[in-house]
Amino acid sequence: MTGLTSAKAIGNEVQELDSVVVRFAGDSGDGMQLTGTQFSVATALEGSDLSTFPDFPAEIRAPVGTTFGVSAFQINFGSVEVSTAGDEPDVLVAMNPAALKVNMSNLREGGLIILDEGAFNDKNLKKAGYASNPLDDESLSHFEVKRLDITKMTVEAVKEFGLGNKDSLRCKNMWTLGLLLWMFGRKRQPIIDWMNEKFARKPELAEANVAALNAGHAFGETAEMASNLRRYQINKYKEEAGLYRTVNGNQSLTWGILAGSQLAELQLVLGSYPITPASPLLHSLSGLKEFGVITFQAEDEIAAICGAIGASFAGGLGLTTSSGPGIALKTEALGLAISTELPLIVVDIQRAGPSTGLPTKTEQSDLYQAVWGRNGDAPLVVLSVSNSTDGFEVGIEAVRLATKYMTPVMILSDGYIANASEPWKIPDINDYEPFPAKFHTDPEGFHPFLRDPETLARAWAKPGTPDLMHRIGGIEKDYNSGHISYDADNHQKMTDVRKAKIDNIANDIPLQEVAQGAAGGKLAIVGWGSTYGAIHQGVKRAREEGLDVSHIHLRNIWPLPRNLEELLKSYDKVIVAEMNVGQLNTLLRSQYLLDTQLLSKVSGQPFKISEITAVIHENLGESK
């Protein structure tokens, strides 16, 4: 963040900031995700650039007041370009002692803490593991602390609505939101409209929450002098003209795949089994029946992908979604899709592993599984999503490659991208060139493994097409007839052709560009997936210092862009930054015999900008 340190006063009341990082933290029942989301909406409507980071536990309901039940929502917003949720919060809202204990170490020195003093009782302090009350010792001396009895003021604000104690306390998040809206000059009306709609059938709850929101806002206005509270001004970010909305990674990916199916003129059929953090794709697509989308929740991951393969065999576009553990279960069926050479979209929203791991924490450790994780020589296309808005373009590209080359395409996203939100300029679908799928209808000389001589894609014939009766399956087929074959030379040929088909796709994807900096130089930071924002900002800051460093970010994981080897070898040193123990690094070293170096992080948390700048300084020192 550059916010509070780059502030300037406007008159005597308001400080102008370039950007600021705010983190809401409380018990998982305190509504922190809701509070953060609504604050993000109000912020987006004011024209700020923003990036969010919902950080919550996997437990449906951890014991109240414990550190492992803390839920947080972080937002970085400003009048300058924002591409990450920020390294260190400038403002921490702590609704209980556990929230303070979990998040205090990440707060920047001198940062502002707004805490609910009413929650700092002996019972909650004990649950959080405090030996003494941090409000009574020197442990918070490095921060600016505002002790507000939010619990008491919320109960007072909503008492006229006759709610029980439990429902009254649930309004604390709205009181807090009202105060933050006042501090940063955001409007309340969009939140009020949303609450009236949400609680349309329970108007007493809507009225109570609105009252709490207004009370928090009014407290800021009236207590400004007495409590030394300040207001801040974040000016609008100058975006390209157009219609915008906030979008998270799962939403943009969902709409991208749907748009791709429309451009291919195919009916989209999703077979899926619920799993965090991929389930929202199933939720979103099940609500898009007006586009002809068919969704079914299968009894398990294997049934889900097999249903999707069946849809593609029948002439639709099969899609299956999951996370790492689910993708592992789909593996055998994925080999079937490769053997039958059917188009199939496979989405892997990665989470921290192995096994069930940390379901709500992010990681990039499925790259090996995506590129190599099958029995036999079974190549397919692997694409990667880089941020919350990138999924739309990646989804369309995945459908184009899957249908043109008759192959499964796996899309790698991760938990951070899936849940994080950014402003998105809504594209015009008319700007995209349609790529209608081609179905074989000529019975003359037909067999199912006839191939396009240019793409090596096999013929796609819908079942029921006159005189095109055929069979496909997981047993090897004869190259010349499509019948089952155990011939040794034929298996060699079919294996070579399947590999050549995927390798050839390198000629149909864009050359690798340098995201920031120049081709050639002292140092390149290479990344993929959700590391984009941190690398982008880290390299940007280093270049502003005059350091010779560039940023290269991969969308095409397999096959790799055909110019990538030459590009990487144009730098004196290449560092691969990724949230695993070196999977892309291993891949690049094996393909190009390059002495690349690894910057690894496997903590369930995204990279910080400071971690990128540190490795740049470590390798370049003061050289420019």
Side-chain angles (χ1 to χ4, degrees), residues 219-287:
F219 176 84
E221 294 175 328
T222 57
E224 181 177 359
M225 296 302 294
S227 302
N228 196 28
L229 282 170
R230 290 192 297 271
R231 301 186 71 188
Y232 303 95
Q233 177 175 319
I234 311 288
N235 292 324
K236 291 185 178 181
Y237 177 63
K238 294 181 180 177
E239 289 271 18
E240 183 182 352
L243 180 62
Y244 286 80
R245 59 157 295 159
T246 56
V247 66
N248 66 40
N250 276 347
Q251 288 173 318
S252 70
L253 185 54
T254 297
W255 298 333
I257 295 170
L258 174 60
S261 71
Q262 299 282 302
L263 293 169
E265 299 178 1
L266 294 172
Q267 184 172 31
L268 184 60
V269 181
L270 168 66
S272 186
Y273 183 76
I275 185 171
T276 300
S279 296
L281 281 88
L282 172 60
H283 303 160
S284 296
L285 284 168
S286 64

Side-chain angles (χ1 to χ4, degrees), residues 252-253 255-257 259 389-396 424 427 429 432:
S252 70
L253 185 54
W255 298 333
I257 295 170
T389 64
D390 189 42
F392 190 79
E393 300 294 337
V394 172
I396 291 175
W424 182 49
I429 193 65
Y432 293 83

